[in-house]
Amino acid sequence: MAASGAEVLPGRREGGGGEAAVLRGTRGRCWRSRSKAASCLSIPSRRDNAKLVSCGGDRQLFYWDVSSGRVIRKFRGHDSEVNSVKFNEYNSVVVSAGYDRSVRAFDCRSQSAEPIQIVDSFQDSVMSVILTKTEIIAGSVDGTVRTFDIRMGREVVDNLGHPVNCISLSNDGNCILAGCLDSTLRLLDRSTGELLQEYKGHTCKSFKMDCCLTNTDAHVVSGSEDGFIFFWDLVDASVVSSFRAHSSVVTSVSYHPKDACMLTSSVDGTVRVWKQ
Amino acid sequence: MDEGDEDYVVYGTPIEREEETSARKRRAIADAGQLRALPPWKQEVRDEEGRRRFHGAFTGGFSAGYYNTAGSKEGWTPQTFTSSRKNRADVKQQSIYNFLDEDDIKDMGGRALETSMQFDTFGFTAAELARKEAEKEQEKRPSAIPGPVPDEIVRPAANSIGIKLLMKMGWRQGRSIKDTHADSLYESRREARKAFLAFSRDKDGPELAEIESSRSESEKYPERSDDIFGGTKSTPVYVLNPKQDLHGLGYDPFKHAPEFRDRKRSRESRDKDRGNNKTGKYAPGFGIGALEELDIEDEDIYASGFDFEQMEVEEVEPTKMIGDSWHKLVDRKRGSMLSFKVASNSDYVLERFRPPVIPADFESRHKFPTTLESTNKFPELPPPEVPPPEDNNLRLLIEGSAAMVARCGKSIEDLYKEKSKTNQLFLFLSGGEGHNYYERKLWEQKQKRGDLGRQNNTKSMKSSDEKMNAENRGKVLGERPLDRSSKASSLSVDVKEVIHLQSNLGDTFIKPVGLSESLKPFKYDPAKQERFEQFLREKYHGGLRAAQPFITNIMSETDRARERLDFEAAAEAIEKGTWSKEKETDPLSILKDLPFINDQRFVSSTEVEKHGVSKDEQKVIHPKREEFEWRPSPILCKRFDLIDPFMGKLPPVQRPRSRMDSLIFMTETIKSSKSEEAIASTRDSILLSHSESKETEKQLITQETDAEPIAADVQRPVDLYKAIFSDDSDDDDADEGNSGHSTDPVKTNEGANMTLNRLVAGDFLESLGKELGLEVPTDKPGPPDKPPNSILVEAASKGDINSSSVHEKLTSQHEEFDRPMEEKHKDNISKSADNVVTNLSINQNEESKPHSRHQRSRSRTPDSDSSDDYRDKKRKTHSRRRRSRSPSTDSSSDRHRSKRNRSKATHRKRGTTDTDSSSDHLYRDRSKSEGKSRKRSRHHKHRRKDGHKNR
């Protein structure tokens, strides 16, 4: 955890207490899983917070039971370290993005550890993946944000021209916020693929960092490599606020989907919960 | 037939046979004695044979009648005969009730003869009946509480026990209570009188005596008669006059019509009189003397009905009708009920609101701003269209000043006019050269400014000005304009942002789209610039174009088209940020630069691709968007709870699982063919030739089974490969890869075998002929109309083959196929050489197969070979045959070659393991999945068959 940072996704249905529990649980899991994984990169949990899945440098995904703290399943298939992993809407599929230029989908319901779908149209490491009800969206270092529409059977490639570090979906689902490695966040219109806005001011050049939108979609949040956290106005891209949150690189920023509550984690080994 | 009898189904009871009757008869006779002892209604009717006889349903079946008669238990008496001769008068009125049962009469609501509750000694029942009648009447009247409930709740009290006792004591309704002595006296007298009257009726004679006696009686009890008179006036039962009218409480209908009240009063008094001397009717009979007092005894007891109390049920208020008891209720006249009084002054003041104050400037008629404006505008007719003056400068000046005047108002024109006095240039203002043109331009500009002004107005003005169309509604609702329009409108970064932020982030406000000064490509021509902005606006707004009459007026069609082209070019240029000063002067130069702009207007679907192309050329704006087809796996769709978009369609070309597979599939996709090019040099020739032979055979089969769809070609090599060369593991792999396969394995197998047979047969015949020294014409391997030549060449070129062995093989095959068509006089030597090469190539295939198998299935168990199907057997026999006829030199060279190849392959494999990690992974993948796939192979086969069936 200290090596690469952790991402904690508060459960959607949980209140304030639940988040803390998940947070604690996540840390516990992280320590435990460190024996197996070289590093733990991403730990999303299911909507009901009953299971979580973690990924890391050991090329496999760990499917955890939160209550017991045991590994239910390990999904193998990636050829190198796994950068990001997400549950789908029904918690039945885990989709992971790896350094092996592929996005793989694993079936949580079957006993098989083999991926049920491999997408390898990327030209470089896939850094981030998000899922909607019908789509898999993944951002890659090759500068593309690819949307795989399962319902339509289409792959839409938005080439941003800069390595995509992190992608994040707006709460209304119409926009993608892509954090690029040229210290710029880009807001894309999903339907047309056009660039709506660029947000600059922070530094993001070499770390895998996260960005997100606030619960009201009014602001854009991202960490910075100098330990700052930046808030931009969504519309006019002005820096609304920036403050020093951590002593080192802020690796992950996660906003509560409903409340004004934010989690940040840093390379310095701290996870901070921000509340109004 | 006996068996048939058993099949009959018998319904009902069978008719008893005759032989049984004797026994029954005996029993009936025996019973007869008993029957007589029974009461007649218990006796059953039987005939002489002792059977119950059916009388028919209408009369009730067996039990109809009474002992088989028409009588009843009570007996049957025929109607007595009455002669109509004496009794002619009373004609019998027959009604339906004469023919109905009591029950029926009741059902019909008729009055049946019933026993009454009380023995009506005193005519009390009649009074009760009258009361009931009144109640019924009450029901029909409108009541405050609708429905029958009040009548049930408010029930007239039955006679109390006191009344009952009184009645037992001789009191009857309407009488006052007196001492029993007087009463009894009275009673007896009354009885006597009655008897007397009855007597006197019969005999006219002794009536005088009777009168005498009665008179004497009355004289005898003079004082009592007074008593009795008083006693008759019992307290009358008043029915408090129910409210029958529909007037409100306390409403006096005669308030404004006093004359009617008078009439009513007179009626009331008449009623009162009637009530006062209400002593009943007097019998008109004789026996009552003129001097006799009117008394109760004198009432006509034979008159119809009884004398019951008057019911005051009229609308008219019975004011002072009867004595003191009424006094409490008499207040009716003042319009009050028992305890309610009409208040003298009411507290209730109806609250009234003042009508709203109409502002002074309110106009009662609604004005429609747009039409008003139009009426304001259009009365002044447009000046005639005038050709612009030849002098270009003057034209520009005129147009510019017209625009200026239109924009800034009349004052500027005056200023110009002032100027024109000194400056010759402005002569056109005051009627010099080009004045007409100026007027025309000015009018246009004004029109336009009106238009623009309307568009640039604030939103509220806009909404009031324009009618609500789909576009406006969309804006109000925060909908996004169509993709295309928004895309086209992406002029510059800031404009684009405005557009998108407002459209996508749900903002409903609309900023007027304005171009910055630097982005005015038609600065030299303000009019044109205006039009250009208008054009941009339209482009942005999308939807239907507003009608612009002025444009159609002033410009010809070609002019408009050209201008439009200019605009689009400029817009495109602005969008790309390549607008520069030098181009400003000549907009047409942009057109030359961007030749595809013309097309863009018409081709919208390919816009995306075009953007991509242009960006590649110019190295500009990201992001760019591309779309590809992507096929999600069915299980993924299932897990996402979605319908597989490719359901029922052919499965996609599977990614090659191993290098081996990739070699076979290389020619299928462009991508893979490219990669094949890249590694073709390092590839061993055997595998290539292997794949090539596959290719050729595939082509042959497609020729032979001509009806196959082309799409199936993609699948074919896999199946063919399986059909000919695969062992179990190959089969499994391919099956696993194409689990959704729809091709028919049997068919392809047959095809493959056919091809092989044909080839082998040709070889065999040739070699046999060689050995025998005969010239044997070969069979035609393919249909003669389509020579396989071209296909093979095609395949060869597709595969990009460099190795010589492939060429050899190909040429050999060419010649072999071409031979039957081209020539038959080829010399033996060349033929045999061909043959050698052919065999060689085929044996190469033979050799490469186990080699490849070895290479791939390192972890294979040997017993899997035993499960080879008939195809393998066939193949083996083929190979055996081939081997038997192939010379030993062939095989030896064969072996050499294969050995070399193997070593090469292994070497290459070792060399590439560390560099090519992905392929290495594929190997691993394969070896991992192999064990499992073998397990599932049978299952897959079944599935495939099923799939075929379904298809």
Side-chain angles (χ1 to χ4, degrees):
Chain A
M1 188 169 158
S4 303
E7 173 186 315
V8 179
L9 196 85
R12 275 176 198 276
R13 295 198 196 132
E14 294 278 342
E19 287 164 26
V22 170
L23 179 60
R24 252 197 332 269
T26 310
R27 292 179 95 165
R29 292 304 110 69
C30 276
W31 289 116
R32 227 174 283 178
S33 67
R34 219 158 63 137
S35 58
K36 293 156 191 153
S39 61
C40 201
L41 290 178
S42 172
I43 312 165
S45 70
R46 266 162 61 140
R47 298 276 150 77
D48 54 359
N49 289 340
K51 308 275 195 305
L52 56 84
V53 64
S54 68
C55 60
D58 57 351
R59 302 189 286 187
Q60 50 189 344
L61 309 175
F62 290 89
Y63 187 46
W64 300 88
D65 184 30
V66 170
S67 56
S68 65
R70 291 211 182 95
V71 177
I72 300 170
R73 209 163 292 145
K74 293 175 195 167
F75 298 117
R76 297 183 190 87
H78 276 287
D79 294 331
S80 52
E81 87 177 60
V82 188
N83 287 324
S84 177
V85 63
K86 286 285 184 332
F87 277 107
N88 77 332
E89 173 95 4
Y90 308 104
N91 303 321
S92 55
V93 175
V94 165
V95 178
S96 62
Y99 187 70
D100 58 352
R101 302 180 293 178
S102 71
V103 165
R104 283 159 201 255
F106 298 91
D107 191 354
C108 293
R109 292 188 181 162
S110 79
Q111 292 297 316
S112 165
E114 296 294 320
I116 55 174
Q117 174 91 49
I118 303 170
V119 184
D120 52 1
S121 54
F122 297 93
Q123 262 119 56
D124 209 332
S125 165
V126 189
M127 294 304 284
S128 180
V129 64
I130 47 178
L131 301 183
T132 66
K133 263 189 167 180
T134 61
E135 289 147 316
I136 299 170
I137 308 164
S140 167
V141 179
D142 62 5
T144 59
V145 173
R146 289 170 199 255
T147 306
F148 302 95
D149 194 327
I150 301 166
R151 188 169 51 183
M152 304 254 293
R154 300 290 288 172
E155 174 187 2
V156 178
V157 182
D158 292 315
N159 197 341
L160 294 174
H162 297 282
V164 177
N165 203 352
C166 157
I167 54 172
S168 164
L169 200 65
S170 66
N171 287 323
D172 62 357
N174 289 332
C175 302
I176 295 174
L177 183 70
C180 299
L181 276 176
D182 58 343
S183 298
T184 310
L185 305 183
R186 289 182 169 85
L187 189 69
L188 295 180
D189 180 22
R190 278 187 62 201
S191 55
T192 61
E194 279 180 76
L195 184 68
L196 300 180
Q197 191 59 277
E198 290 187 337
Y199 308 93
K200 287 177 183 172
H202 66 302
T203 49
C204 172
K205 294 195 183 298
S206 52
F207 283 87
K208 180 188 187 304
M209 298 165 69
D210 284 346
C211 55
C212 64
L213 286 109
T214 57
N215 57 338
T216 54
D217 276 348
H219 300 288
V220 172
V221 192
S222 175
S224 176
E225 286 182 10
D226 50 7
F228 274 71
I229 286 174
F230 281 77
F231 278 81
W232 289 270
D233 188 80
L234 181 81
V235 179
D236 54 11
S238 57
V239 177
V240 176
S241 167
S242 68
F243 52 90
R244 190 171 188 86
H246 294 273
S247 59
S248 185
V249 180
V250 180
T251 54
S252 178
V253 174
S254 175
Y255 217 89
H256 195 279
K258 294 279 187 300
D259 305 331
C261 174
M262 185 174 71
L263 277 172
T264 57
S265 69
S266 168
V267 173
D268 61 9
T270 56
V271 175
R272 284 172 202 260
V273 185
W274 305 82
K275 275 189 177 176
Q276 259 189 350
Chain B
M1 286 307 284
D2 289 332
E3 288 162 358
D5 271 344
E6 287 170 5
D7 289 337
Y8 289 140
V9 178
V10 180
Y11 286 103
T13 26
I15 298 169
E16 284 152 338
R17 302 266 169 79
E18 277 305 315
E19 53 261 33
E20 290 172 25
T21 54
S22 57
R24 207 176 47 236
K25 201 187 256 175
R26 262 183 275 121
R27 200 178 57 222
I29 291 160
D31 285 345
Q34 288 179 349
L35 262 182
R36 293 289 145 82
L38 285 171
W41 63 89
K42 277 189 181 173
Q43 296 167 6
E44 271 188 336
V45 183
R46 289 175 196 274
D47 62 0
E48 66 273 5
E49 301 219 326
R51 286 181 296 210
R52 291 185 76 185
R53 278 299 175 207
F54 190 66
H55 286 269
F58 197 71
T59 48
F62 287 116
S63 58
Y66 189 73
Y67 200 57
N68 217 10
T69 67
S72 65
K73 187 185 169 186
E74 286 80 26
W76 179 73
T77 42
Q79 205 172 21
T80 47
F81 175 72
T82 47
S83 169
S84 61
R85 208 170 169 188
K86 275 187 186 171
N87 245 348
R88 217 174 272 275
D90 50 9
V91 179
K92 253 195 178 170
Q93 286 285 342
Q94 285 194 334
S95 74
I96 191 168
Y97 290 104
N98 297 351
F99 304 98
L100 287 174
D101 286 348
E102 288 169 358
D103 296 341
D104 293 335
I105 288 166
K106 257 182 204 164
D107 286 345
M108 286 186 70
R111 218 180 298 160
L113 196 64
E114 284 174 354
T115 53
S116 69
M117 295 285 285
Q118 285 157 328
F119 191 60
D120 192 20
T121 323
F122 314 108
F124 175 72
T125 318
E128 197 71 12
L129 202 70
R131 191 174 291 182
K132 271 181 191 164
E133 208 87 311
E135 274 171 24
K136 249 179 210 169
E137 227 176 296
Q138 191 98 12
E139 270 176 19
K140 282 167 199 160
R141 286 193 299 261
S143 67
I145 306 166
V149 184
D151 296 328
E152 284 171 19
I153 295 167
V154 188
R155 219 188 185 133
N159 284 343
S160 66
I161 189 69
I163 290 171
K164 275 180 188 166
L165 283 172
L166 277 173
M167 282 202 294
K168 287 244 167 100
M169 287 157 72
W171 176 85
R172 67 179 170 125
Q173 205 99 15
R175 303 276 163 177
S176 65
I177 302 159
K178 296 183 75 177
D179 54 325
T180 49
H181 172 68
D183 226 320
S184 62
L185 265 176
Y186 158 74
E187 283 294 331
S188 57
R189 249 183 87 185
R190 190 167 181 269
E191 291 300 319
R193 183 174 293 253
K194 270 182 191 169
F196 176 70
L197 277 174
F199 183 66
S200 65
R201 195 192 193 184
D202 282 350
K203 285 180 271 174
D204 291 346
E207 72 175 87
L208 275 176
E210 201 267 336
I211 294 167
E212 283 287 328
S213 71
S214 72
R215 194 182 289 160
S216 67
E217 267 179 13
S218 64
E219 277 167 1
K220 205 175 172 183
Y221 302 102
E223 74 288 347
R224 203 185 57 100
S225 67
D226 282 340
D227 285 346
I228 289 167
F229 184 74
T232 51
K233 288 164 101 187
S234 73
T235 51
V237 176
Y238 295 110
V239 178
L240 296 181
N241 55 331
K243 195 168 147 31
Q244 286 174 283
D245 53 3
L246 297 171
H247 303 147
L249 280 176
Y251 173 75
D252 185 8
F254 304 106
K255 196 175 177 182
H256 300 294
E259 57 269 21
F260 286 105
R261 200 199 300 275
D262 289 343
R263 248 179 112 171
K264 197 178 74 181
R265 274 214 195 102
S266 68
R267 196 143 49 109
E268 279 167 18
S269 60
R270 209 168 55 226
D271 287 344
K272 202 169 104 186
D273 291 345
R274 204 180 63 193
N276 277 343
N277 52 24
K278 188 194 78 160
T279 47
K281 293 159 190 155
Y282 302 101
F286 41 85
I288 298 169
L291 299 174
E292 209 174 291
E293 279 182 297
L294 286 172
D295 198 4
I296 191 71
E297 298 111 299
D298 298 325
E299 73 182 53
D300 185 7
I301 54 167
Y302 300 104
S304 68
F306 294 88
D307 181 22
F308 42 84
E309 276 72 33
Q310 188 90 21
M311 305 219 181
E312 300 295 336
V313 285
E314 291 165 284
E315 165 187 22
V316 187
E317 306 103 285
T319 42
K320 284 176 181 148
M321 213 164 69
I322 313 113
D324 298 340
S325 63
W326 188 244
H327 278 315
K328 279 175 197 161
L329 308 177
V330 161
D331 277 348
R332 184 75 198 274
K333 205 160 198 180
R334 278 179 291 159
S336 76
M337 290 297 286
L338 286 172
S339 52
F340 293 102
K341 271 168 69 181
V342 176
S344 54
N345 57 338
S346 86
D347 294 335
Y348 178 68
V349 181
L350 192 67
E351 198 179 357
R352 291 190 183 279
F353 298 96
R354 301 207 63 81
V357 180
I358 298 165
D361 55 344
F362 176 74
E363 286 175 58
S364 57
R365 290 183 61 181
H366 181 64
K367 278 196 277 188
F368 297 95
T370 46
T371 50
L372 253 186
E373 211 168 332
S374 65
T375 49
N376 282 346
K377 266 208 169 116
F378 287 112
E380 44 172 291
L381 283 169
E385 196 169 345
V386 187
E390 289 81 39
D391 187 1
N392 209 29
N393 283 335
L394 183 63
R395 186 175 62 87
L396 284 181
L397 186 67
I398 287 173
E399 283 175 0
S401 55
M404 201 65 183
V405 167
R407 192 175 301 175
C408 305
K410 200 77 179 164
S411 58
I412 204 96
E413 194 185 28
D414 296 338
L415 197 87
Y416 276 128
K417 273 180 184 168
E418 285 291 314
K419 259 188 199 170
S420 69
K421 280 162 190 164
T422 56
N423 195 341
Q424 287 291 327
L425 265 176
F426 288 94
L427 262 180
F428 60 88
L429 284 173
S430 44
E433 186 198 357
H435 179 69
N436 287 337
Y437 184 67
Y438 167 71
E439 276 194 339
R440 172 75 200 176
K441 274 285 163 195
L442 184 60
W443 180 80
E444 277 171 19
Q445 290 296 330
K446 271 182 178 167
Q447 283 291 103
K448 203 179 295 169
R449 285 219 62 81
D451 262 12
L452 291 182
R454 238 176 287 148
Q455 283 217 352
N456 286 338
N457 263 338
T458 56
K459 202 187 162 195
S460 58
M461 271 302 287
K462 199 168 190 170
S463 61
S464 67
D465 269 8
E466 291 177 5
K467 276 181 189 166
M468 191 66 119
N469 55 12
E471 185 193 333
N472 284 346
R473 209 176 299 121
K475 269 184 225 155
V476 168
L477 295 173
E479 289 170 357
R480 275 180 30 223
L482 287 175
D483 284 357
R484 187 170 166 271
S485 62
S486 66
K487 193 166 284 170
S489 69
S490 45
L491 305 169
S492 60
V493 173
D494 56 338
V495 172
K496 209 162 59 179
E497 276 165 8
V498 164
I499 291 160
H500 281 288
L501 288 177
Q502 75 193 7
S503 58
N504 296 333
L505 303 180
D507 287 350
T508 50
F509 66 87
I510 308 282
K511 277 189 196 169
V513 182
L515 290 172
S516 57
E517 265 316 298
S518 61
L519 290 172
K520 283 191 175 171
F522 303 104
K523 254 186 274 179
Y524 61 95
D525 185 357
K528 202 168 180 184
Q529 176 66 31
E530 295 260 355
R531 280 202 296 275
F532 177 56
E533 283 175 21
Q534 179 79 21
F535 164 78
L536 289 181
R537 241 171 244 121
E538 278 171 5
K539 229 180 158 189
Y540 159 51
H541 283 310
L544 294 173
R545 298 277 142 79
Q548 290 170 318
F550 62 92
I551 281 186
T552 51
N553 282 346
I554 58 159
M555 297 167 88
S556 69
E557 198 67 31
T558 50
D559 278 350
R560 217 149 24 108
R562 219 183 59 196
E563 197 180 59
R564 203 181 151 72
L565 281 182
D566 288 1
F567 287 165
E568 277 173 3
E572 185 74 16
I574 287 171
E575 189 180 357
K576 296 210 172 96
T578 55
W579 188 260
S580 57
K581 279 275 173 191
E582 56 267 24
K583 279 175 184 172
E584 217 170 283
T585 50
D586 186 13
L588 285 179
S589 64
I590 306 159
L591 269 186
K592 286 164 204 154
D593 288 349
L594 307 163
F596 60 87
I597 276 176
N598 270 339
D599 308 351
Q600 202 186 17
R601 275 169 58 190
F602 307 107
V603 186
S604 59
S605 61
T606 56
E607 206 169 23
V608 178
E609 282 85 356
K610 274 196 174 140
H611 272 263
V613 168
S614 64
K615 273 159 200 163
D616 277 346
E617 286 167 359
Q618 301 177 6
K619 297 261 177 205
V620 273
I621 313 161
H622 283 297
K624 62 180 182 186
R625 170 164 278 207
E626 289 164 293
E627 275 197 54
F628 305 103
E629 194 178 275
W630 174 71
R631 188 170 181 126
S633 69
I635 182 78
L636 189 72
C637 298
K638 195 182 160 192
R639 287 284 176 260
F640 272 77
D641 204 10
L642 297 169
I643 298 164
D644 188 359
F646 293 90
M647 193 162 43
K649 290 174 194 163
L650 270 175
V653 179
Q654 286 290 312
R655 273 182 65 253
R657 293 225 162 192
S658 68
R659 198 162 296 156
M660 191 59 203
D661 286 345
S662 73
L663 291 180
I664 293 158
F665 296 127
M666 268 318 158
T667 53
E668 285 161 14
T669 59
I670 301 161
K671 191 179 162 190
S672 55
S673 77
K674 271 181 198 165
S675 63
E676 192 191 20
E677 271 179 7
I679 44 173
S681 55
T682 61
R683 193 163 293 155
D684 48 349
S685 58
I686 277 191
L687 291 179
L688 247 183
S689 70
H690 182 178
S691 71
E692 274 314 307
S693 69
K694 212 90 331 84
E695 193 76 25
T696 57
E697 277 159 11
K698 179 197 89 180
Q699 297 289 351
L700 274 174
I701 284 166
T702 39
Q703 281 180 355
E704 281 168 4
T705 59
D706 237 347
E708 288 286 321
I710 301 161
D713 277 0
V714 182
Q715 297 309 128
R716 210 149 278 287
V718 190
D719 286 312
L720 252 175
Y721 178 63
K722 276 187 296 172
I724 304 162
F725 297 104
S726 72
D727 54 14
D728 232 10
S729 71
D730 287 344
D731 210 344
D732 291 345
D733 286 342
D735 268 343
E736 193 183 51
N738 309 312
S739 56
H741 248 261
S742 51
T743 47
D744 187 1
V746 179
K747 204 172 180 181
T748 46
N749 289 347
E750 280 171 6
N753 287 329
M754 265 173 65
T755 326
L756 260 182
N757 281 335
R758 198 160 293 179
L759 283 172
V760 168
D763 283 357
F764 181 67
L765 278 175
E766 269 184 351
S767 59
L768 193 73
K770 242 186 296 166
E771 279 166 22
L772 295 174
L774 293 169
E775 177 119 31
V776 182
T778 49
D779 269 337
K780 291 187 179 184
D785 54 340
K786 195 186 176 193
N789 225 357
S790 56
I791 300 155
L792 289 167
V793 170
E794 230 176 67
S797 64
K798 226 195 274 177
D800 191 15
I801 301 118
N802 300 327
S803 87
S804 59
S805 72
V806 176
H807 276 297
E808 277 174 18
K809 187 200 63 120
L810 273 175
T811 48
S812 76
Q813 286 192 344
H814 282 204
E815 279 160 17
E816 189 183 319
F817 291 135
D818 291 347
R819 192 178 298 122
M821 283 164 288
E822 287 174 4
E823 41 84 45
K824 289 184 180 176
H825 51 270
K826 218 177 184 179
D827 58 339
N828 271 342
I829 303 158
S830 68
K831 210 188 286 171
S832 66
D834 282 343
N835 227 347
V836 166
V837 177
T838 313
N839 286 333
L840 174 80
S841 69
I842 289 169
N843 284 328
Q844 270 172 0
N845 296 343
E846 268 309 305
E847 284 296 315
S848 69
K849 185 201 57 77
H851 158 73
S852 66
R853 188 197 294 170
H854 172 70
Q855 190 183 22
R856 268 178 295 145
S857 55
R858 277 167 294 188
S859 62
R860 270 196 66 189
T861 50
D863 58 338
S864 65
D865 275 337
S866 64
S867 67
D868 279 354
D869 53 4
Y870 77 103
R871 276 182 279 126
D872 288 313
K873 277 178 204 154
K874 246 183 191 170
R875 179 175 46 76
K876 271 172 193 160
T877 55
H878 289 320
S879 65
R880 215 177 296 134
R881 265 198 280 170
R882 237 177 281 157
R883 284 236 172 83
S884 65
R885 66 185 153 71
S886 61
S888 61
T889 51
D890 283 349
S891 62
S892 69
S893 70
D894 224 36
R895 220 159 283 142
H896 273 295
R897 194 186 288 253
S898 65
K899 232 178 245 168
R900 199 185 58 219
N901 287 334
R902 198 179 300 151
S903 63
K904 212 197 229 169
T906 47
H907 171 71
R908 182 174 49 84
K909 198 171 81 65
R910 214 171 290 134
T912 50
T913 33
D914 39 359
T915 55
D916 195 355
S917 68
S918 69
S919 58
D920 191 22
H921 154 66
L922 291 175
Y923 269 106
R924 256 192 293 142
D925 212 28
R926 185 187 180 80
S927 63
K928 240 188 286 173
S929 65
E930 212 148 21
K932 204 188 308 158
S933 67
R934 203 176 304 127
K935 259 181 252 160
R936 286 190 295 191
S937 67
R938 192 120 312 168
H939 173 63
H940 274 294
K941 268 177 205 159
H942 279 298
R943 235 207 291 175
R944 209 171 44 170
K945 266 174 200 165
D946 285 349
H948 173 66
K949 260 180 223 160
N950 290 338
R951 219 171 146 226

